[in-house]
Amino acid sequence: MLLPPLSYIPLDPSHSTIRERERERERESTMRSLMHLFSLYLFIFSATYDSFVHRTLADGVTPEEAKLLRDEVREMFYHAFDGYMEHAFPRDELRPLSCQGEDTIGNYALTLIDSLDTLALLGDRERFTTSVEWIGKNLRFDINKTVSVFETTIRILGGLLSAHLIASDYATGMRIPSYEDQLLHLAEDLARRMLPAFDTPTGIPFGSVNLMHGVDEHESKVTSTAGGGTLTLEFGVLSRLTNDPIFEEVTKNAVRGLWARRSKLNLVGAHINVFTGEWTQKDAGIGTSIDSFYEYLLKAYLLFGEEEYLYMFQEAYGAAMHYLHNDPWYVEVNMDSAAIVWPLFNSLQAFWPGLQVLAGDIDPAIRTHAAFFSVWKRYGFTPEGFNLATLNVQQGQKSYPLRPELMESTYWLFKATTDPRYLDTGRDMVASLQYGARCPCGYCHISDVEFHEQEDHMESFFLAETVKYLWLLFDLAAGPDNLVENGPYMYVFSTEGHLLPATPQISLVREHCSYLGAYCRSGDSRRKSYTSDTSFVEQKNNYTREFGGRMQTYLTAETSYTSAPFSGFIKGVCPGLTHGQKFGISYVNPTYTHGDNSDYKDRDRGEHSVQERQSIVIGGDQDDGKQSDDSEYNEDIRESGDSGSQSVKDPAFQSHSVVIVSNDDGGNRQTDDSNSNHDDTESDDKSSESQFPQRLGQCPS
């Protein structure tokens, strides 16, 4: 034992005195140890007390209270829906403070269309039937109106398709006897009017299109990643319902165009030039301008079962978790260097935990959701931007426009974990909306979350998503009795919250016939051309691009779309190759260096066209899916082995994390313009075979 300092030794140092001092020091040491243990206990208790109290309060949400909360959310929906129908219909959206209507997107009863499947979900047969019949008789899209391709797709096209699938199917319990596919015909007409937006060198669509005249010659050539990559669900479902692949083809190639231009880190930027392929904003994140690009990669796989979407999602998700995740938050970084450029929580990021639930990555979803909800608790709402450096609302981003993303993630986390804390979270959200956002005729935007100032506007997605997810949350806790939980199909929610069922006609389209005989593909896959009355203003250029192994010509004045079958997209796929090699998705450099399109008619057949086709288009013969030179192909498979591939697990059934599939070549294959041949007369089978391995990633010889 160490002796005390000499200054503490008595002048008369008898042995008994020294022993007493030593015993006293031992007692003091023991007391200090006990105090240390007690302090540690207090620390542990204080750290767990909030969680304990939180869990205790949440445990108080009994099934009876969940029913009351569900009924309260139902009343919230009808307060806003009735306010719209009485004061705003048939205009697009409601001004809930002044009780007036306003046109915000296209002057076609936006809020009613966006609310259709919510009415069906609530079991309101009368209003659902009345609304569907009115829309079928009165809605038209032959109007001289320039609309957002993204917003029109997710709100109008998605709303029409979802309502059609409910109204036309006896299995949903909401079948309308007099219904004769009017909504489907409207959806097809609307989508065809938006097809000219995809007439770009990259395949990535313009952000806006005129429903009568096509794309204006002065239309901006810059669009967001989400705007170009969040169209696959709605257009893909439409292709399956109409048996016309053109809708799915253009949207799939838009996704390929974006993914082919990702950085070496597998990150995508926020805005891109649809003509040159150059990124005009290289900030990579999971929020504004990018969010639903990630969402639709996974959901397209879940709904359509196409492995290509799963591959892209796994690569993109792995990069996001590596470079953007600053546990539990997410930041924005430069897509090339991964340097942090914006330490900001953006309210649109709140969808991410819900997406992670669908991907099976639950643990980080729980932590991130808790962090995001802490911002809600602090202000009563989530501001558009919360600065993670200053821990304050970002200047100029103080509003809350009734966004649904946090409710969506709360619903999915409760469904995955059954943890009652998420019921408490939902109860807090309902209280905030009721006391802070409720207006005379609906629910108001919050212009400043710090002072709860109201603004006279109500987005249609409040009825399509916000109250829908809250109602589903409490109905699930009360004992579910709704179309989603008890219906005949698995449903995938679009980014606007619309219900898209995995019916045989939608999800088994590549099968010859479902085992129940519910849907069989006919031999004539509607390969006829469709001539649209939609034309481009003052644009006379023609150009060709490749879809599914054949050349498709877009003609302006009278735009001709030649449909192709779904099968035969992938030819010569080798089990020993990585997904990137199988699908031929590589990196590309920007195609052009100038933003104007004055010489576009010559450029599209110029030196860059082969580079574009090799990068973003999957080749393959239209007629069949046979490999050329089968004997050599099989020999290549034996030589390639399994070194370049890993098994892919369905993320919908993983319990912990997504399996990230590696791409051994890093996706760094470069195109070689010197090997290109643009003379149509020389495009024989031999030249096609010589370029085939580069474009498709056949097994190496």
Side-chain angles (χ1 to χ4, degrees):
M1 178 180 291
L2 295 176
L3 295 176
L6 293 177
S7 59
Y8 293 128
I9 298 178
L11 294 177
D12 184 13
S14 63
H15 292 290
S16 59
T17 304
I18 293 176
R19 284 196 297 271
E20 290 175 0
R21 295 279 187 178
E22 289 175 348
R23 285 194 296 268
E24 182 176 353
R25 289 177 60 83
E26 289 175 357
R27 287 194 297 269
E28 292 175 354
S29 177
T30 302
M31 290 298 298
R32 283 196 297 269
S33 298
L34 291 174
M35 290 297 296
H36 176 73
L37 290 174
F38 183 69
S39 300
L40 182 61
Y41 167 77
L42 290 178
F43 174 79
I44 295 175
F45 178 79
S46 63
T48 59
Y49 178 75
D50 289 343
S51 177
F52 171 78
V53 172
H54 188 78
R55 179 66 62 85
T56 302
L57 290 174
D59 284 340
V61 181
T62 63
E64 290 73 21
E65 186 178 359
K67 291 179 182 179
L68 294 176
L69 288 166
R70 179 190 62 188
D71 293 341
E72 183 176 359
V73 174
R74 183 187 181 95
E75 186 278 332
M76 292 170 61
F77 171 83
Y78 281 110
H79 173 65
F81 182 79
D82 291 344
Y84 165 77
M85 294 300 294
E86 182 178 350
H87 301 288
F89 176 79
R91 305 190 74 178
D92 280 341
E93 291 177 325
L94 170 70
R95 290 183 177 271
L97 271 177
S98 59
C99 297
Q100 297 177 350
E102 60 179 333
D103 290 323
T104 54
I105 291 186
N107 187 23
Y108 31 55
L110 169 64
T111 298
L112 178 63
I113 297 174
D114 228 1
S115 305
L116 287 175
D117 60 0
T118 307
L119 287 169
L121 186 65
L122 296 175
D124 193 338
R125 177 184 296 275
E126 180 181 354
R127 297 199 191 193
F128 177 70
T129 300
T130 302
S131 300
V132 168
E133 290 176 346
W134 184 92
I135 291 171
K137 293 177 181 178
N138 297 280
L139 190 63
R140 296 293 179 270
F141 295 114
D142 53 344
I143 55 176
N144 185 13
K145 181 76 174 181
T146 299
V147 299
S148 163
V149 174
F150 171 74
E151 295 291 350
T152 302
T153 297
I154 66 171
R155 299 199 196 194
I156 301 298
L157 185 60
L160 291 173
L161 291 172
S162 177
H164 160 74
L165 289 163
I166 295 171
S168 60
D169 193 344
Y170 282 104
T172 64
M174 298 294 290
R175 172 76 165 90
I176 300 175
S178 61
Y179 180 70
E180 296 180 348
D181 296 343
Q182 293 92 336
L183 301 191
L184 178 60
H185 299 323
L186 285 169
E188 183 177 8
D189 177 59
L190 176 61
R192 292 198 186 280
R193 294 177 183 277
M194 290 192 287
L195 283 178
F198 295 87
D199 191 0
T200 67
T202 62
I204 305 168
F206 287 98
S208 300
V209 65
N210 187 285
L211 295 180
M212 184 174 289
H213 303 296
V215 178
D216 186 83
E217 61 178 335
H218 301 297
E219 176 62 34
S220 171
K221 298 176 182 63
V222 175
T223 192
S224 68
T225 300
T230 313
L231 312 170
T232 49
L233 291 189
E234 292 83 0
F235 276 70
V237 168
L238 181 61
S239 277
R240 285 154 168 77
L241 296 180
T242 61
N243 198 23
D244 189 347
I246 185 61
F247 306 111
E248 182 174 14
E249 286 178 352
V250 295
T251 54
K252 181 183 289 186
N253 275 276
V255 173
R256 291 171 182 156
L258 290 165
W259 183 244
R261 290 168 174 83
R262 68 198 185 277
S263 73
K264 304 298 183 182
L265 306 180
N266 280 338
L267 296 174
V268 293
H271 291 90
I272 192 170
N273 186 303
V274 301
F275 266 57
T276 67
E278 294 178 348
W279 292 101
T280 59
Q281 184 181 358
K282 292 193 171 185
D283 296 352
I286 62 168
T288 303
S289 301
I290 306 177
D291 50 350
S292 49
F293 171 77
Y294 290 100
E295 178 184 1
Y296 269 36
L297 290 180
L298 179 58
K299 289 184 176 180
Y301 167 72
L302 294 177
L303 187 60
F304 304 139
E306 296 192 20
E307 195 179 68
E308 180 182 359
Y309 289 118
L310 176 61
Y311 158 70
M312 287 188 281
F313 173 75
Q314 289 175 320
E315 295 289 293
Y317 181 79
M321 294 302 290
H322 184 74
Y323 296 109
L324 309 179
H325 189 211
N326 194 347
D327 201 358
W329 305 94
Y330 290 82
V331 296
E332 294 184 9
V333 304
N334 180 276
M335 63 180 289
D336 295 317
S337 66
I340 295 178
V341 297
W342 203 236
L344 189 75
F345 160 56
N346 179 277
S347 62
L348 289 174
Q349 295 177 357
F351 87 101
W352 189 258
L355 185 66
Q356 289 181 306
V357 170
L358 294 179
D361 207 0
I362 305 296
D363 290 341
I366 292 173
R367 295 193 298 272
T368 296
H369 180 275
F372 291 174
F373 182 61
S374 69
V375 179
W376 180 287
K377 291 282 287 184
R378 180 173 177 177
Y379 299 105
F381 303 100
T382 48
E384 289 291 81
F386 180 78
N387 193 302
L388 300 178
T390 63
L391 297 180
N392 288 307
V393 176
Q394 180 69 22
Q395 188 65 30
Q397 300 185 30
K398 296 184 176 184
S399 65
Y400 169 68
L402 305 177
R403 292 203 184 277
E405 285 77 16
L406 193 58
M407 291 78 170
E408 176 184 2
S409 290
T410 303
Y411 163 69
W412 285 113
L413 277 166
F414 178 72
K415 189 170 185 176
T417 66
T418 66
D419 191 327
R421 81 174 77 173
Y422 298 112
L423 298 179
D424 191 48
T425 299
R427 181 169 55 186
D428 286 349
M429 293 173 176
V430 169
S432 293
L433 291 170
Q434 290 286 63
Y435 292 105
R438 192 174 178 109
C439 297
C441 299
Y443 289 82
C444 293
H445 279 202
I446 303 299
S447 60
D448 190 327
V449 298
E450 293 181 305
F451 300 100
H452 287 198
E453 296 177 355
Q454 294 182 341
E455 183 179 340
D456 194 14
H457 186 64
M458 186 183 78
E459 293 275 3
S460 66
F461 58 65
F462 178 75
L463 297 176
E465 299 181 82
T466 306
V467 294
K468 178 182 292 175
Y469 285 118
L470 286 172
W471 188 88
L472 283 169
L473 171 69
F474 295 118
D475 188 62
L476 186 62
D481 182 21
N482 64 72
L483 185 64
V484 172
E485 309 296 344
N486 304 98
Y489 312 114
M490 180 200 80
Y491 283 88
V492 173
F493 290 78
S494 75
T495 195
E496 187 72 8
H498 292 308
L499 309 178
L500 302 176
T503 65
Q505 186 177 8
I506 293 173
S507 297
L508 299 180
V509 70
R510 293 182 183 277
E511 302 295 330
H512 176 68
C513 184
S514 70
Y515 71 97
L516 292 177
Y519 175 66
C520 298
R521 288 189 61 84
S522 59
D524 55 341
S525 183
R526 240 180 95 168
R527 302 181 188 181
K528 65 183 180 67
S529 298
Y530 169 80
T531 302
S532 171
D533 59 355
T534 304
S535 61
F536 294 92
V537 178
E538 300 297 330
Q539 276 185 250
K540 302 300 182 182
N541 57 286
N542 303 332
Y543 76 94
T544 59
R545 68 178 310 123
E546 190 173 12
F547 283 121
R550 51 97 184 99
M551 301 303 294
Q552 171 173 322
T553 302
Y554 283 75
L555 305 175
T556 53
E558 283 191 350
T559 308
S560 176
Y561 300 99
T562 303
S563 303
F566 285 105
S567 59
F569 272 152
I570 301 174
K571 174 181 177 181
V573 175
C574 312
L577 295 180
T578 65
H579 285 72
Q581 291 169 328
K582 287 182 183 180
F583 296 117
I585 302 173
S586 181
Y587 301 97
V588 295
N589 294 320
T591 318
Y592 311 118
T593 57
H594 301 287
D596 64 281
N597 65 338
S598 58
D599 59 341
Y600 176 49
K601 179 163 59 177
D602 297 325
R603 282 196 307 237
D604 64 87
R605 298 192 180 119
E607 60 180 355
H608 301 285
S609 59
V610 169
Q611 180 186 49
E612 178 187 346
R613 290 198 297 270
Q614 288 177 337
S615 307
I616 66 172
V617 176
I618 289 178
D621 290 342
Q622 176 177 328
D623 298 332
D624 54 54
K626 297 179 182 179
Q627 295 89 8
S628 60
D629 298 334
D630 289 341
S631 60
E632 296 181 5
Y633 172 76
N634 294 332
E635 182 66 26
D636 288 338
I637 293 179
R638 288 192 292 272
E639 291 178 1
S640 65
D642 297 329
S643 59
S645 65
Q646 295 183 11
S647 61
V648 179
K649 299 180 180 179
D650 187 337
F653 300 101
Q654 294 181 41
S655 58
H656 297 291
S657 62
V658 167
V659 178
I660 304 301
V661 179
S662 63
N663 189 349
D664 293 341
D665 68 348
N668 294 323
R669 297 192 307 279
Q670 300 296 323
T671 57
D672 186 357
D673 291 344
S674 63
N675 294 330
S676 61
N677 189 337
H678 307 288
D679 189 348
D680 293 340
T681 62
E682 297 180 12
S683 57
D684 54 15
D685 294 337
K686 183 176 180 180
S687 63
S688 299
E689 291 177 2
S690 65
Q691 296 182 19
F692 184 72
Q694 270 190 310
R695 188 169 65 252
L696 294 176
Q698 265 192 319
C699 294
S701 57

